[in-house]
Amino acid sequence: MLTLENVRWNLPDGEELLKGITFSVQPGKLTVITGPNGGGKTSLAKLIAGLETPSSGRILLDGEDITGWDITKRAQNGIAFAFQQPVCFKGLSVQDLLETAAGSELGEDRLCQLLEYVGLCAQEYCRRPMDEKLSGGERKRIEIATVLARNARYLIFDEPEAGIDLWSFSSLIETFRDLKENQKHALLIISHQERILEIADDIIVIADGKIRSEGSAETVFPELFSDEKRTICPIGKGV
């Protein structure tokens, strides 16, 4: 189980952005964090991944305090993170990147499987270089494939729908369903998308650096569509 205990985080100017966040995620569950822009959702994901360090509070992995671990050590211990805006890796092919993420050479079947998960054809993309010739949407899908290649226990996705076309997004939804159902992975997804919220087990609404609402999707999801809640947490319907 991955647990945050009273996590707080300050911006460089001293402003407190996250104000005492506590929740847990566990394998076999899909948890969606949603809420208005600027509420601290992406910063929270970076804290879990090890890109930032909390000002106070603790992050626990299966009961062990990992608050001081960097992103490399967290990745080695089963936490994988997909950026909202993917980075470019010049000099590497798509296959190189997937094999680097997996930590070993990948057979054709596995390469095809990973790229098909995100709506790409392995024959067309495996040898392509990871450079500016790839569109933003293509880079986004490839990065999601690298997260899946790591076979980590805890998968964190920051707005995975960004830059992805409708067909690929539908395929990604099915991937999230499959990952949840195999009971080996805990998925933590930051999203406003209704279709992602619909498949969540639990939903956490963060606004102004605090948890405004949390619970099962059956309980929280209908609240997001009330007139009062929609002013707090706008929901995106389409991709």
Side-chain angles (χ1 to χ4, degrees):
M1 182 180 294
L2 182 67
T3 302
L4 280 71
E5 294 183 348
N6 197 29
V7 167
R8 296 175 179 270
W9 185 68
N10 296 341
L11 294 169
D13 64 5
E15 179 186 354
E16 188 175 45
L17 185 61
L18 295 173
K19 306 170 183 177
I21 302 293
T22 297
F23 67 86
S24 295
V25 294
Q26 57 186 325
K29 296 285 187 178
L30 192 164
T31 301
V32 176
I33 296 178
T34 193
N37 292 333
K41 302 183 302 299
T42 292
S43 297
L44 183 60
K46 290 179 178 180
L47 288 168
I48 295 171
L51 292 165
E52 300 286 354
T53 302
S55 303
S56 64
R58 299 196 303 167
I59 301 174
L60 306 175
L61 180 62
D62 298 330
E64 182 174 3
D65 190 340
I66 65 168
T67 310
W69 290 8
D70 62 18
I71 187 172
T72 301
K73 189 170 182 179
R74 294 189 196 199
Q76 291 169 343
N77 284 270
I79 298 176
F81 176 61
F83 290 88
Q84 184 176 344
Q85 297 296 330
V87 294
C88 254
F89 294 90
K90 293 184 178 181
L92 293 180
S93 68
V94 172
Q95 182 173 344
D96 291 335
L97 190 61
L98 290 173
E99 292 182 338
T100 298
S104 63
E105 292 186 3
L106 298 175
E108 184 177 346
D109 288 346
R110 180 59 173 158
L111 288 167
C112 287
Q113 181 187 49
L114 289 168
L115 290 171
E116 284 177 1
Y117 271 152
V118 294
L120 298 176
C121 173
Q123 288 184 340
E124 293 181 13
Y125 281 89
C126 273
R127 302 299 180 187
R128 288 190 63 176
M130 289 294 302
D131 58 20
E132 63 279 355
K133 292 181 181 179
L134 291 169
S135 70
E138 287 171 325
R139 291 198 301 272
K140 180 78 175 199
R141 283 181 273 177
I142 291 165
E143 183 179 39
I144 291 171
T146 66
V147 170
L148 299 178
R150 293 171 201 159
N151 200 29
R153 290 178 297 152
Y154 297 90
L155 309 178
I156 306 166
F157 297 93
D158 188 4
E159 297 193 18
E161 68 273 13
I164 295 183
D165 59 83
L166 180 60
W167 186 89
S168 298
F169 182 65
S170 296
S171 177
L172 188 61
I173 291 289
E174 292 307 310
T175 297
F176 289 151
R177 289 184 191 274
D178 291 345
L179 290 169
K180 183 176 74 166
E181 289 173 2
N182 73 20
Q183 299 294 306
K184 294 180 181 178
H185 306 280
L187 285 83
L188 183 63
I189 302 175
I190 295 171
S191 180
H192 295 131
Q193 280 297 326
E194 181 179 347
R195 291 178 63 191
I196 292 179
L197 289 160
E198 284 175 339
I199 65 171
D201 294 299
D202 299 302
I203 296 174
I204 300 171
V205 180
I206 292 182
D208 298 324
K210 299 178 180 179
I211 294 179
R212 288 288 184 88
S213 180
E214 66 177 316
S216 67
E218 291 82 1
T219 301
V220 178
F221 186 76
E223 296 179 2
L224 298 175
F225 289 88
S226 69
D227 289 340
E228 179 182 356
K229 292 290 183 179
R230 284 183 71 85
T231 63
I232 297 175
C233 179
I235 303 299
K237 291 179 175 288
V239 172

